[in-house]
Amino acid sequence: MTEPEKLRRLALDALTTARARTALLTDCVDDGELTAQHSPLMSPLVWDLAHISNQEEQWLWRAVAGREALRPEIDSVYDAFEHPRATRPTLPLLAPAEARAYASDVRGRVLDVLERTPLEGGRPLVDAAFAFGMIAQHEQQHDETMLITHQLRRGPAALDAPEPPPGPGTVGLPAEVRVPGGPFTMGTSAEPWALDNERPAHARVVPEFFIDTVPVTNGAYMAFIADGGYRDERWWAPEGWAQIREHGIGAPLFWRREGGQWLRRRFGVVEPVPEDEPVLHVSWYEADAYARWAGRRLPTEEEWEKAARHDPASGRSLRYPWGDEDPAPEHANLGQRHLRPAPAGSYPAGQSPLGVRQLIGDVWEWTSSDFLPYPGFVAFPYREYSEVFFGPGHKVLRGGSFAVDPVACRGTFRNWDLPVRRQIFSGFRTARDAGGA
């Protein structure tokens, strides 16, 4: 099988997997739940459903195949930059049945386009099936957004999944790992479906540093709370201190103290907070405050990527911490196979050459870095994916969470969000300079 044909098969699998997940997230609730806005932070689920298909129509049916628009009158309704999430319920949205029919119509046409389109020949949008991979990633990113909406919704659980497999735990693991100083290759110029902000590959020199072997756990974060971390201004960036005071924040989102223990609400189920899991639903400000309290700091984005990808034996950067092969279930907690992070220390087969664990999957990890372009960045195929977000307003997250599909997660993948965001599946790990305490 030629390389273009392999990519055609991969694109078909990625699109099919994404659509099956979209159906799972939207078929498990009734029409009232689909059209409701469960939080002003998020869109109604039915908006996401039709937006996914509208983007697919615009890029694969119109741009790739060069065909006439199917529903040009709804382009504005599903333009994410024209309408903030809080206002989307007021729009003339397609009803659930109509949205599903539209999605099915577009997908049927797109699969025919995929079958017939040459995937090489100098068209950047279709070479190596890029546009098809981009749309599969886009749908999976919205699936993660819809899973966040499910976490925010009230009422009984609508989703279910098996527990993560038992892990080996952290006994015997070092608390931190030394990452040697020197150059490494950051970003990629070779990954066929890498998005514009991951490109191009370029050399970075990173001084020696230490990074946590595993993400910060709920138990460790409880110690920060118990020590008055939310009441001590010393640990907080000024904007973060103002945020927690204004909103009365004293624990991660969805946590509450009851009967002498910490409880959390997770997809409609209230349960004790498991101390051995990576902490989840914390803002950048909370992560930064914890790191200061612990006498440490958040890693920079380049430190995170070096810890994840650098192979000191060969001197090259790997696609993933475990090597160049695509993720398998033994490598990482991805793809909504489970509805929670795995215990800290899990997935030893997925550790980096330096011995850092759970860098991919489980929780998105806040870094200290602002979201900025790499040297030589070129916006493609549209400015609104990355370029309009560059600057000090957004912080970079790396690694992916249990809610991320492998197609939208790799060692170079960059996520970003506002430092106040807590509803996302975000956690963190800490670092220190080599000469630090």
Side-chain angles (χ1 to χ4, degrees):
M1 187 181 293
T2 65
E3 191 62 26
E5 292 311 307
K6 289 179 182 177
L7 286 165
R8 193 186 310 276
R9 177 69 59 83
L10 285 174
L12 176 61
D13 290 347
L15 289 166
T16 302
T17 299
R19 187 51 49 89
R21 186 179 176 195
T22 300
L24 173 68
L25 290 162
T26 54
D27 290 350
C28 64
V29 292
D30 62 25
D31 285 2
E33 295 263 30
L34 288 175
T35 57
Q37 185 171 48
H38 298 282
S39 165
L41 296 172
M42 311 303 291
S43 310
L45 291 168
V46 75
W47 185 93
D48 287 287
L49 176 60
H51 168 79
I52 286 167
S53 301
N54 183 249
Q55 288 292 293
E56 187 169 332
E57 183 201 338
Q58 290 193 47
W59 286 104
L60 301 184
W61 182 247
R62 303 183 202 175
V64 170
R67 307 298 289 271
E68 290 294 321
L70 302 174
R71 299 289 299 268
E73 77 280 4
I74 67 172
D75 288 354
S76 173
V77 173
Y78 295 102
D79 186 330
F81 294 92
E82 187 173 340
H83 304 289
R85 287 175 175 173
T87 67
R88 290 173 189 170
T90 66
L91 300 171
L93 304 179
L94 300 184
E98 191 177 6
R100 289 189 175 102
Y102 174 55
S104 178
D105 181 30
V106 172
R107 177 52 58 89
R109 296 167 187 265
V110 158
L111 293 184
D112 185 62
V113 172
L114 174 60
E115 184 179 342
R116 296 170 182 273
T117 301
L119 301 181
E120 55 187 351
R123 292 179 64 195
L125 197 59
V126 294
D127 284 353
F130 175 81
F132 299 94
M134 177 185 75
I135 288 299
Q137 291 179 81
H138 175 263
E139 181 161 356
Q140 287 286 5
Q141 287 170 320
H142 274 272
D143 287 342
E144 182 176 10
T145 298
M146 289 194 284
L147 189 62
I148 293 169
T149 302
H150 273 277
Q151 170 62 12
L152 287 163
R153 65 177 281 275
R154 297 287 180 173
L159 295 167
D160 191 22
E163 296 297 299
T170 57
V171 175
L173 288 179
E176 61 181 3
V177 170
R178 172 186 168 272
V179 181
F184 87 106
T185 300
M186 187 172 185
T188 181
S189 298
E191 191 74 29
W193 295 349
L195 303 171
D196 58 7
N197 63 65
E198 301 171 65
R199 301 173 183 267
H202 59 286
R204 291 280 182 108
V205 177
V206 177
E208 178 184 1
F209 69 100
F210 288 84
I211 192 167
D212 291 339
T213 303
V214 299
V216 171
T217 63
N218 289 321
Y221 201 85
M222 287 174 188
F224 168 65
I225 299 172
D227 196 46
Y230 280 90
R231 301 189 302 273
D232 194 332
E233 187 176 358
R234 288 180 298 166
W235 312 129
W236 295 85
E239 299 86 354
W241 182 247
Q243 180 79 6
I244 66 164
R245 304 313 291 172
E246 179 183 353
H247 297 282
I249 296 170
L253 187 61
F254 307 115
W255 284 29
R256 71 172 188 258
R257 188 77 172 168
E258 187 175 297
Q261 65 176 336
W262 284 107
L263 303 177
R264 71 178 181 188
R265 181 170 58 82
R266 182 179 62 87
F267 298 108
V269 175
V270 176
E271 61 190 11
V273 175
E275 294 192 23
D276 61 348
E277 276 186 17
V279 68
L280 191 63
H281 296 302
V282 290
S283 69
W284 183 90
Y285 292 123
E286 289 169 291
D288 178 63
Y290 173 95
R292 294 173 192 242
W293 169 81
R296 298 170 69 82
R297 58 176 175 80
L298 295 179
T300 65
E301 182 181 12
E302 53 263 43
E303 286 175 336
W304 188 97
E305 188 167 325
K306 185 168 187 181
R309 299 183 62 214
H310 179 63
D311 179 11
S314 65
R316 72 182 189 89
S317 291
L318 308 174
R319 292 180 69 213
Y320 298 95
W322 54 85
D324 293 335
E325 65 268 30
D326 290 337
E330 65 268 19
H331 290 137
N333 182 5
L334 292 168
Q336 201 182 309
R337 290 195 307 269
H338 315 293
L339 288 172
R340 65 195 305 159
S346 295
Y347 301 101
Q351 71 180 16
S352 76
L354 296 168
V356 189
R357 293 198 184 178
Q358 292 169 284
L359 286 156
I360 299 290
D362 287 309
V363 296
W364 285 107
E365 298 184 19
W366 288 110
T367 72
S368 64
S369 298
D370 297 335
F371 184 48
L372 299 171
Y374 289 161
F377 168 84
V378 176
F380 177 78
Y382 58 106
R383 291 184 60 250
E384 290 80 7
Y385 180 71
S386 302
E387 188 174 348
V388 297
F389 297 102
F390 289 148
H394 292 84
K395 294 294 186 181
V396 174
L397 303 103
R398 300 297 297 263
S401 72
F402 65 88
V404 174
D405 187 81
V407 76
C409 185
R410 48 195 161 262
T412 58
F413 194 93
R414 306 172 76 194
N415 190 9
W416 65 95
D417 216 323
L418 300 172
V420 298
R421 287 287 186 253
R422 310 172 78 222
Q423 81 274 18
I424 61 177
F425 300 114
S426 52
F428 65 100
R429 72 180 75 213
T430 68
R432 68 176 175 92
D433 297 340

